[in-house]
Amino acid sequence: MELQEARKIVKDSPYKDFLNTIELPFTLRHINVEYNIVGIINIFKFFKENDEQWTERKKELDNNLFSESISFFTTARTYIDEFINTYVKNEGYDESSLQQQFTSFTRYYFSPSQHVFTANSPEIDFMIKL
């Protein structure tokens, strides 16, 4: 899904106000990085951009270096797309149900391990140079 399509889905959704305030705390403790991403579109953009950046960075990497990061962001992007298509498009939910589903998605799909790095983190450049 592209950003324009996600924006249109959210704009046309009866949950638009709620979706613009939904929050995702995203922490990578091992590199001391914390994000508090607000709004489903910003969350979507975060995972989409990291997935695309990792796809580009893969070209400069030997073997499967950082495969866990690549896999994590690809999977997270797939599931944020699924959340938007399945729940945001469906008018049969209320905000409480939507929050519950989002919390379930964050627990299972958006919780990185200690081996996950964002594609533009300085630690990646350092480790590649090693």
Side-chain angles (χ1 to χ4, degrees), residues 26-35 46 50 54 57 66 69 73 112-127:
F26 186 81
T27 304
L28 299 170
R29 293 188 204 301
H30 56 288
I31 57 172
N32 202 27
V33 170
E34 287 186 41
Y35 299 99
F46 176 78
N50 270 282
W54 272 117
R57 293 214 74 174
F66 307 111
S69 296
F73 282 105
S113 75
Q114 66 181 5
H115 303 289
V116 171
F117 297 86
T118 55
N120 61 355
S121 68
E123 290 83 2
I124 296 300
D125 293 327
F126 174 76
M127 287 189 269

Side-chain angles (χ1 to χ4, degrees), residues 77-92:
R77 179 181 181 177
T78 300
Y79 282 108
I80 194 68
D81 283 3
E82 182 181 318
F83 177 81
I84 290 171
N85 280 315
T86 303
Y87 298 103
V88 175
K89 275 186 168 179
N90 188 334
E91 295 181 19

